[in-house]
């Protein structure tokens, strides 16, 4: 039996994110599906119905990929995916952009296109017609919750993801990974999105196919890192990092601030100005918890004029301090 067991789904963004991380760490692990036979134990012991769940050598059952990766960073010295200090804050902020904002693009591509929706429902349902039908009904609700119900927001989401692909294509022609010549948590979430969604579902796969460096990277996955390499320094980092940071104030920032205000007011929905349009979102507790993790990281780094100046320069002081 492997030291770690990863329970989840092959078409799950966060399962494939954690899978990439475990490969980068060089961890001894098995990847098993969450299924009816193990669902009750996984949910009871991890405290959530969501995937992934990681069983550790101590027989802990852990959920939530970012804290899991922080734990694993301490267990695999030299292969940390969150760098120390200021560069770790930059990495975490960019990871947050993909975790809590770009993830909605994956949901849109999967459930608003019938070809992709049918493909995903059949794969997730594992040949059970009733389960596949239930999944097909869930998809549009997820799109409404994450603000991609209107055609204009669907177009904006796709345009945003094409910008991600353009930036990644250019970066991967210069460095082995997105923040330099060694991987970080950013590579894990972007690879997770490709391998679970946009380079798997038929409609977005045709879009990704136009970016050969991204395709080659997605096909290699996390299997070609020998533990060597350096990251680009803080605060300049790489062109890809600067692209992602410039995108954060356009969609993520107004959404997360509106979500926080709605949580405080006890409102079930929130509205934010996104890409020139007022958009409705389902109010969710997790984005606020996730944002607090970044604030906690900044606090652990300690008083840093460099971080304060950097957040101000990129227009995110209100969001993270």
């Amino acid at each position: 039996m492997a030291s770690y067991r990863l329970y989840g789904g092959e078409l799950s963004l966060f399962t494939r994110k954690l899978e990439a991380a475990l490969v980068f760490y060089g961890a001894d692990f098995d990847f098993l599906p969450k299924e009816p036979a193990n669902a009750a134990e996984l949910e009871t012991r991890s405290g959530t119905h969501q995937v992934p769940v990681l069983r550790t050598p101590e027989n802990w059952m852990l959920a939530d990929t970012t804290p899991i990766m922080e734990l694993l960073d301490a267990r695999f010295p030299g292969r940390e995916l969150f760098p120390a200090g200021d560069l770790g804050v930059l990495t975490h902020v960019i990871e947050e952009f993909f975790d809590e904002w770009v993830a909605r693009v994956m949901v849109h591509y999967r459930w608003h296109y019938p070809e992709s929706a049918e493909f995903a429902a059949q794969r997730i349902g594992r040949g059970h017609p009733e389960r596949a039908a239930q999944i097909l009904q869930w998809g549009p609700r997820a799109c409404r919750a994450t603000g991609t119900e209107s055609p204009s927001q669907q177009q904006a989401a796709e345009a945003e993801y094409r910008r991600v692909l353009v930036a990644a294509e250019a970066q991967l022609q210069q460095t082995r990974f997105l923040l330099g010549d060694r991987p970080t948590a950013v590579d894990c979430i972007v690879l997770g999105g490709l391998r679970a969604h946009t380079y798997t579902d038929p409609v977005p796969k045709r879009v990704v196919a136009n970016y050969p460096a991204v395709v080659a990277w997605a096909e290699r996955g996390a299997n070609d890192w020998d533990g060597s390499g350096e990251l680009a320094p803080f605060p300049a980092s790489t062109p890809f990092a600067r692209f992602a940071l410039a995108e954060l104030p356009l969609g993520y920032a107004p959404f997360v601030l509106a979500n926080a205000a709605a949580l405080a007011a006890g409102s079930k929905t929130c509205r934010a100005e996104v890409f020139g349009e007022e958009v409705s979102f389902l109010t969710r507790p997790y984005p606020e918890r996730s944002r607090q993790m970044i604030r906690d990281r900044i606090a652990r780094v300690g008083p840093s004029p460099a971080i304060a100046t950097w957040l101000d320069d990129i227009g995110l002081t209100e969001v993270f301090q």
Side-chain angles (χ1 to χ4, degrees), residues 38-309:
N38 59 30
E41 180 187 7
L42 293 177
E43 292 174 10
T44 298
R45 294 192 59 205
S46 70
T48 181
H49 69 279
Q50 297 178 331
V51 293
V53 171
L54 183 69
R55 195 213 66 184
T56 72
E58 300 90 344
N59 200 27
W60 302 340
M61 292 287 195
L62 306 178
D64 197 341
T65 57
T66 299
I68 288 172
M69 289 164 63
E70 291 180 335
L71 172 72
L72 295 175
D73 272 1
R75 296 185 174 195
F76 294 93
R79 287 181 171 262
E80 297 89 346
L81 296 173
F82 285 101
D86 297 353
L87 191 53
V89 175
L90 179 146
T91 299
H92 201 158
V93 168
I94 298 173
E95 183 216 31
E96 179 81 350
F97 169 61
F98 286 96
D99 271 13
E100 300 303 321
W101 182 249
V102 178
R104 88 196 202 292
V105 183
M106 314 293 168
V107 174
H108 152 65
Y109 266 129
R110 175 161 289 169
W111 303 115
H112 278 141
Y113 287 96
E115 181 184 2
S116 287
E118 185 64 27
F119 166 84
Q122 293 300 323
R123 288 277 289 270
I124 297 170
R126 303 181 69 184
H128 299 284
E130 291 184 2
R131 189 176 177 205
Q134 291 174 345
I135 293 166
L136 281 170
Q137 292 177 354
W138 173 87
R141 295 199 299 272
C143 293
R144 286 194 296 273
T146 53
T148 60
E149 187 172 25
S150 74
S152 60
Q153 284 301 305
Q154 293 168 26
Q155 293 168 11
E158 292 185 17
E160 181 182 47
Y161 193 66
R162 286 194 296 272
R163 293 195 296 273
V164 169
L165 292 170
V166 168
E169 180 75 11
Q171 189 63 54
L172 292 169
Q173 292 174 13
Q174 298 178 40
T175 56
R176 292 172 64 194
F177 300 100
L178 296 174
L179 302 190
D181 286 318
R182 63 183 294 126
T184 67
V186 174
D187 298 278
C188 297
I189 184 60
V190 178
L191 277 171
L194 286 162
R195 293 169 73 82
H197 285 263
T198 53
Y199 195 57
T200 296
D201 292 357
V203 172
K205 186 171 184 176
R206 293 194 286 268
V207 177
V208 174
N210 294 305
Y211 302 90
V214 173
V215 168
W217 187 59
E219 291 178 344
R220 290 195 307 271
N223 295 306
D224 68 340
W225 184 46
D226 60 5
S228 66
E230 299 295 331
L231 294 172
F234 177 88
S237 193
T238 61
F240 181 85
R242 295 194 293 275
F243 152 77
L245 292 168
E247 290 281 328
L248 269 137
L250 305 180
Y252 167 81
F255 157 69
V256 78
L257 292 173
N259 184 74
L263 280 171
S267 176
K268 293 183 179 180
T269 61
C270 62
R271 301 188 71 82
E273 186 78 16
V274 174
F275 299 126
E277 180 182 26
E278 191 175 75
V279 181
S280 176
F281 298 86
L282 178 69
T283 303
R284 292 178 288 126
Y286 188 80
E288 190 61 15
R289 291 202 300 273
S290 188
R291 180 167 70 127
Q292 186 60 45
M293 292 181 202
I294 295 177
R295 291 172 162 176
D296 292 344
R297 182 179 296 276
I298 293 171
R300 291 197 301 272
V301 170
S304 172
I307 289 178
T309 299

Side-chain angles (χ1 to χ4, degrees), residues 4-9 15 29-35 38 42:
Y4 293 87
R5 281 194 169 185
L6 172 62
Y7 293 92
T15 300
F29 76 99
D30 293 328
F31 185 166
L32 293 89
K34 179 182 178 181
E35 52 193 359
N38 59 30
L42 293 177

Side-chain angles (χ1 to χ4, degrees), residues 18-34:
L18 188 53
E19 177 195 31
L22 289 164
V23 176
F24 283 137
Y25 287 127
D28 175 33
F29 76 99
D30 293 328
F31 185 166
L32 293 89
K34 179 182 178 181

